[in-house]
Amino acid sequence: MAQRKMVNAGVKKRTIHCKKGRQIIADTECSAFPKPQETEQCESTKCPVYTWKVTPWSKCIDPCKKMNQHRRVYCLNEGGKRAASRMCQNETMPIKTRPCNIDQCPYEWVPGPWSTCSIACGTVSNSFRRIDCKVKRGMRGQNTKLGSEPTVLSRMCMSLKKPEVNKECAMIPCDAEYRWSVLPWGKCSKVCGPGTRRRKTPCLNRLGVRVPKAKCNKDTRPKHRESCFLRNCLPNDCAEIKAQNTITNSIDGNYTVLVAGFRITVYCHLMNNTIPKTFLNIDAESNFGEFYGKRLLYPYTCPYGGKRNDSCACSNDGHVSSGLSRYRRVRVDLHNMKINPHDFTFAQTAYGTPVPYGTAGDCYSASECPQGRFSIDLRGTGLKIVDDLQWMDHGHKSSSKIVRTENNALIRGQCGGFCGECAPDQYKGIIIEIDHKQRPSIGVG
């Protein structure tokens, strides 16, 4: 921030000469006249003050992605008006860019055991290991047993530093009198979740004949037992639950599934069908879409301060698709992480035409006075709408007011025009993701 520059009271001076015409003469020649002051006190004026002004930092959308936050920096004068940047002190200029903090990423790379060396003896050889992206250990609600962390898609960890996946082996000469050998690994003891697998590691002489293990150096014996993890035990959606093919899993109802490594509860519908459908349980009072059915007789007005008043000077020939639909469940695709706004299986239409989820509109006014409403409330589901999803306005004189709260788990909108409406970006759809601020309540699988 630039500082106000002040100068203390001082003295200003001038030189006095005695002149005759244009010629300077001795001061004594002017002794009959009073001599003007050579000095007087003075004080400098205050310098104008210029300060730096910053906008809020842009949001870090993905806690696991290396990206930068940005903000704008302005130079302002004392009146709050923008000035040239050179008027502010450059050495105090705030930074415009900083890296996002990925320490809060809920995932991490977890390395598996090292493989046996690619050759048994002789020259330099390499050992390899697999690395998996898993939910970070020690998070609330997680099983603390090593190896029990849920595995997720590798892309969740792509911005994180990877552990080494290969290393050189310490080799023994091929003409050594005795050496260890290894046989293939057996099957994992568990078909899901953490398990163990074993293999035989016989001691051989230089002719390849098996001899007692005591002949080989026990300190260099390869591992004969290691942990293994084939897949997560919890299914990812209702279709995978159905694939387990049990009598219990053929009943419609609430089930626990694993989404991006975290447990959420879903409602499975049509479990007797080949491909059942997956729904989220939500509150019908706060999940709805509406096309308002009234039209102002004077369309270029916005009465009542823009607030809804059904006793307006209106006709009832509003939007052709006027209606109100409330949703107690919405259908989701958990592989593509999208909500289907056009599935009305568990929607109740209070009047008129069914209205898609997250959509609203009207034919009420041409003066930016929207009355159609929608509400998306995913609180308690463990999910939220992605931060960069936009609502698009359509129609004549359309306008919208979208309010996002609760970390995008609660989004409310007013939309309309003459006639106008708003809907989520049709090319992206209603994209959802795990809401890590709800994470303590959803647990980890």
Side-chain angles (χ1 to χ4, degrees), residues 188-205:
C188 190
S189 61
K190 299 288 184 64
V191 295
C192 67
T196 57
R197 63 179 184 173
R198 299 174 183 273
R199 66 180 175 183
K200 293 182 178 180
T201 57
C203 178
L204 307 178
N205 63 20

Side-chain angles (χ1 to χ4, degrees), residues 81-98:
K81 294 184 178 180
R82 289 183 61 172
S85 295
R86 67 177 182 274
M87 304 305 294
C88 289
Q89 295 182 5
N90 287 334
E91 61 269 19
T92 62
M93 182 179 183
I95 59 172
K96 296 181 180 180
T97 304
R98 70 181 183 186

Side-chain angles (χ1 to χ4, degrees), residues 81-230:
K81 294 184 178 180
R82 289 183 61 172
S85 295
R86 67 177 182 274
M87 304 305 294
C88 289
Q89 295 182 5
N90 287 334
E91 61 269 19
T92 62
M93 182 179 183
I95 59 172
K96 296 181 180 180
T97 304
R98 70 181 183 186
C100 290
N101 181 12
I102 59 173
D103 292 342
Q104 300 303 314
C105 179
Y107 307 108
E108 64 182 352
W109 289 113
V110 176
W114 289 105
S115 68
T116 304
C117 294
S118 53
I119 59 176
C121 61
T123 57
V124 176
S125 175
N126 288 315
S127 177
F128 302 89
R129 65 180 176 180
R130 173 179 171 175
I131 60 172
D132 292 306
C133 183
K134 291 177 174 282
V135 173
K136 192 177 290 184
R137 292 191 66 206
M139 296 181 64
R140 185 182 300 181
Q142 185 180 343
N143 187 333
T144 57
K145 182 180 178 181
L146 181 63
S148 65
E149 309 88 353
T151 300
V152 298
L153 296 175
S154 294
R155 62 179 174 83
M156 303 289 191
C157 292
M158 290 310 294
S159 292
L160 307 178
K161 185 178 179 181
K162 279 188 176 182
E164 294 294 330
V165 294
N166 68 80
K167 68 176 182 178
E168 288 188 1
C169 296
M171 304 301 297
I172 61 171
C174 289
D175 59 354
E177 187 173 1
Y178 301 105
R179 60 183 174 84
W180 294 107
S181 181
V182 292
L183 297 179
W185 286 105
K187 290 183 178 181
C188 190
S189 61
K190 299 288 184 64
V191 295
C192 67
T196 57
R197 63 179 184 173
R198 299 174 183 273
R199 66 180 175 183
K200 293 182 178 180
T201 57
C203 178
L204 307 178
N205 63 20
R206 67 179 58 180
L207 299 177
V209 178
R210 188 167 183 168
V211 296
K213 289 186 170 101
K215 299 284 188 181
C216 290
N217 182 353
K218 66 177 182 179
D219 295 331
T220 62
R221 183 183 180 184
K223 289 192 300 183
H224 60 282
R225 181 178 182 274
E226 69 176 12
S227 60
C228 53
F229 188 98
L230 298 180

